[in-house]
Amino acid sequence: MSKANESPHVATAMRIAREVAGPQAASVDRDARFPREALDALKEARLLSAFVPKAMGGLGLGMIELSQMCEALAQHCASTGMVFAMHQIQVACLVRHANGVGFFERYLKELAAKQYLIASVTSEVGIGGEMRTSICAVEKSGDRFKLDKDASTISYGEHADDLLVTARAAPDATPNDQALVLVSKPDYSLERTGAWDTLGMRGTCSPPFKMRSTGSAERILPAPFADIASQTMVPFSHILWASCWLGISTAAVSKARAFVRNQARSKPGQTPPSAMRLAEVATQLQMMRANVHDVASECEYLMNHPESSIDVLSSVAFAVKMNNLKVSTSEAAFQIAHRCLGICGIMGYKNDSKFSIGIHMRDSMSAALMVSNDRILSTNAAMLLVLKDD
Amino acid sequence: MVEDIRSILKEHGKLSVDIAGLSDDADLYQAGLTSHASVNVMLALEGKFDIEFPDRMLKRNVFESVSAIRAAIEELTGGA
């Protein structure tokens, strides 16, 4: 959080994280409930339109500040950070690929004014986690469409105002010829078909749903989803998720530091053995932070120079780099939490101690699974067969 | 050259339609070419034409149609 104090908006997110998200975190985790208080505070501070351009009533922030906000929120409540991150990813897809299109321009202004929360509906029963494939299709008739989807998970689906849904562009389109569709209340219904009782990230409330929707055809984004995915959805997802995991790791290491300090105070003059382990985990945290900041800065630069960067954003080299960020930070997050457990010992193992590491371990375990690392590594393995990197 | 490109796409492109029914300008991604299959197409093209696609060419639009692939190969082989 070294540069956070430069941005008043990041400072606001840090305050909400400390004063609202932190105090609710235990009950959100215990009851697997939506972090309503924190989301209300974020709406109040108008941070749900952080990425909407100023001219449209938003804050006009970029990737670096979004990343810092996600990190700050996740440090105090990982579910809050992840809900905020997932919402910003949806907003970014609309801002970067539908701005200037009549309907979406009006929608983004309304989102800024009313602080709508958007959930993502990319998962689908039967596609095996491959986001770039859909089974369901948009069925257009006249100026209306109909779209039903059997989603294997919709994070905060029951708490969102609007949904951004992937589907085949038409009933006769191939599985990877996809479109992105914005559906709004009351044009959709969700029928919950399962529960969300998980190890961690319990407050994201992400059970499976059958979604049914209709709407006016202008709600289908004009850009092909392939471009939206490679140029915006994937980079925003991997950077903002990684920022959340960085927040989780920071929280775990803070507890480990406090624990080692306590030990040191009890025997002044003697460096406790756990201090060595703390020194070790601090190097891994620094590497993770450098990784996130480096890729976030590069992305912000590219997105500020659209005329020269579209080629870069859709290149194999960039895709490999994004995937590397996802795989390495998701693995680091769990390793760091696990190491902190080793440092705090039984005090970290206990759920009711102030050095409890359990929640950080459970939350960080989701990182390698949300878009499975195995799938990402196999994609990279294929791409590295043609990438020369020279 | 177009025939070689078409036969490589037939063998490695895993298209959901027959390549014979597609024009040189048809969008291969809409015909079902996935990024995974496109890697195998690239590898086969590199082998067949004894070329290496530089990283700047490893992007979606270079492989979006038979014509686009031909233009890329011609650029690398000096228009041969």
Side-chain angles (χ1 to χ4, degrees):
Chain A
M1 289 278 100
S2 50
K3 288 188 239 164
N5 51 4
E6 290 170 14
S7 159
H9 302 300
V10 175
T12 302
M14 291 173 82
R15 178 187 57 75
I16 293 171
R18 223 174 26 244
E19 295 175 3
V20 188
Q24 67 169 26
S27 88
V28 164
D29 179 58
R30 186 186 59 238
D31 304 333
R33 70 166 180 90
F34 184 68
R36 170 60 61 200
E37 305 89 318
L39 265 294
D40 284 347
L42 290 164
K43 286 184 180 189
E44 179 81 16
R46 314 192 58 73
L47 294 185
L48 294 195
S49 52
F51 193 72
V52 175
K54 277 185 185 165
M56 304 172 79
L59 298 177
L61 305 188
M63 184 70 91
I64 296 174
E65 281 166 290
L66 288 183
S67 161
Q68 290 173 335
M69 288 177 172
C70 291
E71 181 188 342
L73 292 169
Q75 191 179 337
H76 294 272
C77 172
S79 291
T80 299
M82 196 47 86
V83 170
F84 183 76
M86 290 193 272
H87 164 78
Q88 299 299 343
I89 296 160
Q90 313 315 308
V91 174
C93 290
L94 296 179
V95 168
R96 286 175 44 75
H97 298 275
N99 195 0
V101 180
F103 167 78
F104 289 102
E105 200 163 308
R106 289 194 300 279
Y107 173 79
L108 285 169
K109 282 180 185 161
E110 204 174 302
L111 180 145
K114 299 189 176 162
Q115 295 292 297
Y116 291 148
L117 180 67
I118 312 178
S120 163
V121 190
T122 50
S123 75
E124 186 171 11
V125 174
I127 59 169
E130 172 54 82
M131 181 191 75
R132 287 288 287 102
T133 295
S134 289
I135 296 169
C136 67
V138 188
E139 295 170 38
K140 272 188 260 187
S141 90
D143 58 357
R144 303 283 296 171
F145 74 86
K146 176 173 170 293
L147 172 57
D148 296 343
K149 187 165 188 174
D150 194 357
S152 38
T153 172
I154 304 179
S155 289
Y156 54 94
E158 284 166 334
H159 306 277
D161 298 295
D162 304 310
L163 308 174
L164 205 50
V165 191
T166 50
R168 285 184 301 123
D172 59 352
T174 54
N176 63 332
D177 181 9
Q178 294 164 291
L180 198 55
V181 185
L182 178 74
V183 301
S184 298
K185 276 178 184 164
D187 288 349
Y188 68 84
S189 68
L190 293 177
E191 178 197 338
R192 184 136 67 98
T193 54
W196 181 251
D197 181 7
T198 52
L199 274 172
M201 289 293 183
R202 293 168 58 81
T204 62
C205 301
S206 317
F209 293 96
K210 281 194 198 303
M211 185 217 67
R212 293 179 187 83
S213 70
T214 57
S216 125
E218 62 186 357
R219 295 176 157 272
I220 304 168
L221 271 80
F225 181 62
D227 293 341
I228 300 174
S230 66
Q231 294 166 20
T232 302
M233 192 179 274
V234 171
F236 269 81
S237 299
H238 289 182
I239 293 171
L240 298 186
W241 293 352
S243 307
C244 289
W245 304 330
L246 178 59
I248 296 173
S249 300
T250 304
V253 172
S254 295
K255 285 182 184 167
R257 280 183 212 281
F259 181 82
V260 172
R261 276 199 306 274
N262 257 13
Q263 275 195 324
R265 281 189 201 118
S266 69
K267 286 184 182 163
Q270 247 181 313
T271 305
S274 58
M276 185 76 102
R277 295 283 168 246
L278 178 65
E280 205 172 49
V281 79
T283 66
Q284 196 175 7
L285 181 63
Q286 182 175 325
M287 240 172 10
M288 185 185 185
R289 174 161 284 126
N291 197 356
V292 173
H293 289 185
D294 175 57
V295 180
S297 305
E298 179 178 345
C299 228
E300 176 154 313
Y301 176 84
L302 289 172
M303 287 172 184
N304 286 340
H305 298 78
E307 63 294 337
S308 58
S309 68
I310 293 300
D311 271 3
V312 180
L313 290 171
S314 14
S315 70
V316 166
F318 185 77
V320 167
K321 190 174 209 172
M322 281 299 137
N323 288 345
N324 284 341
L325 173 73
K326 195 277 172 181
V327 171
S328 59
T329 52
S330 61
E331 284 177 354
F334 180 70
Q335 287 166 2
I336 288 172
H338 192 193
R339 285 175 153 179
C340 290
L341 177 68
I343 293 168
C344 298
I346 193 70
M347 293 309 285
Y349 195 65
K350 285 182 165 184
N351 284 325
D352 58 355
S353 109
K354 64 177 174 174
F355 301 112
S356 176
I357 300 294
I359 187 170
H360 307 307
M361 292 194 71
R362 291 186 287 103
D363 284 338
S364 64
M365 284 169 95
S366 68
L369 312 177
M370 47 192 294
V371 185
S372 142
N373 278 4
D374 280 355
R375 177 185 298 282
I376 293 181
L377 281 172
S378 98
T379 304
N380 266 11
M383 291 196 289
L384 286 167
L385 296 176
V386 288
L387 186 68
K388 282 88 194 173
D389 203 17
D390 49 12
Chain B
M1 182 190 296
V2 165
E3 282 321 300
D4 287 332
I5 296 171
R6 284 177 167 273
S7 104
I8 283 170
L9 282 166
K10 190 178 175 67
E11 193 176 350
H12 301 287
K14 294 188 178 165
L15 301 183
S16 52
V17 295
D18 187 353
I19 180 79
L22 292 177
S23 76
D24 284 355
D25 294 322
D27 187 324
L28 295 171
Y29 296 106
Q30 279 182 10
L33 182 67
T34 63
S35 10
H36 207 277
S38 72
V39 165
N40 292 324
V41 170
M42 289 175 206
L43 285 170
L45 291 167
E46 289 187 336
K48 174 75 191 173
F49 293 99
D50 194 22
I51 50 173
E52 284 206 332
F53 292 108
D55 290 349
R56 67 178 166 79
M57 282 191 169
L58 299 181
K59 54 194 187 202
R60 204 175 156 77
N61 55 0
V62 172
F63 299 89
E64 72 187 355
S65 67
V66 172
S67 310
I69 294 173
R70 190 186 61 192
I73 296 172
E74 282 175 352
E75 186 185 328
L76 293 175
T77 55

